[in-house]
Amino acid sequence: MGRTQQFDTAEVVRAAREVFWVNGYEASSLPALETATGLKRSSIYHAFGSKHGLFEAVIESYLNEVIRPRLAPLVAAEVEADALENYLTGLRAALLRTGTTAATSGCLLVNAAGAPISQDAAVASVIAAYRAELSAAFANGVAARFPSLANAQADVLTAACTGLVIAAVALVRVTPEAAVGSVDAALALIEERAVQG
């Protein structure tokens, strides 16, 4: 007869998420994960199969609880004209909010993209899909802000904003000023386009 699970899976995943987000996959030891989650190694393996399985659960929770709520206004049935600027302004504020994981550790998935775990096919696929999801959301924002903009120009603005946001969340853990500057550059591009009409 199997053991009855005595813990909340979502809470365990959130606790592990902080460990992976701050330290990265490779530097997140099983003892650190045991301490954060309150579970023994055997329970982690029983619930998630492996450290890798736990990381996959963490990625899913990160997307659903951190990334997608912020992107929600950009993927709504009707996207407001200022949705992209609001996203960027909110990101800027988050990067400046000292003491938070976003401000000290950037983006869990962007960090993973630069680490050995990115060589794992499943993780690489999720990172690529995340970038595509971000770009598609920004494209919606550009279209809502500049409905008459030619497709080629809209694509360039979308790509620029996507790249600048990825740069911002990659840089924030080492140079917050440059990270904020990257977001400001995206906002400036939108403002410049608005002035051009």
Side-chain angles (χ1 to χ4, degrees):
M1 184 179 237
R3 292 175 293 173
T4 302
Q5 184 169 297
Q6 300 293 322
F7 57 87
D8 183 324
T9 301
E11 289 301 320
V12 165
V13 170
R14 288 186 194 107
R17 186 170 75 202
E18 286 299 306
V19 178
F20 284 124
W21 196 349
V22 171
N23 301 309
Y25 178 80
E26 289 78 15
S28 295
S29 67
L30 280 168
L33 291 165
E34 287 177 304
T35 299
T37 62
L39 297 181
K40 297 293 184 190
R41 184 174 314 203
S42 59
S43 295
I44 291 173
Y45 275 69
H46 184 263
F48 302 100
S50 63
K51 175 183 169 182
H52 189 283
L54 176 57
F55 187 63
E56 288 180 338
V58 161
I59 288 174
E60 192 62 27
S61 80
Y62 179 74
L63 287 167
N64 289 332
E65 297 180 5
V66 178
I67 297 298
R68 290 178 180 137
R70 288 190 179 186
L71 291 178
L74 288 161
V75 295
E78 290 189 27
V79 178
E80 299 292 331
D82 60 354
L84 181 53
E85 287 155 297
N86 288 343
Y87 172 90
L88 292 168
T89 302
L91 175 62
R92 187 184 196 282
L95 296 178
L96 288 171
R97 201 169 294 125
T98 56
T100 65
T101 309
T104 58
S105 300
C107 172
L108 185 149
L109 286 169
V110 171
N111 295 344
I117 189 63
S118 66
Q119 299 305 305
D120 179 273
V123 174
S125 177
V126 171
I127 293 168
Y130 160 65
R131 190 262 176 210
E133 187 173 344
L134 189 67
S135 180
F138 287 5
N140 292 340
V142 168
R145 182 69 174 85
F146 306 108
S148 60
L149 194 62
N151 287 343
Q153 292 174 313
D155 290 347
V156 168
L157 184 55
T158 296
C161 288
T162 303
L164 287 164
V165 164
I166 290 172
V169 295
L171 287 169
V172 69
R173 64 194 309 164
V174 291
T175 172
E177 297 81 8
V180 170
S182 189
V183 177
D184 286 343
L187 286 164
L189 287 175
I190 295 169
E191 179 61 28
E192 182 181 357
R193 172 53 60 185
V195 170
Q196 291 173 357

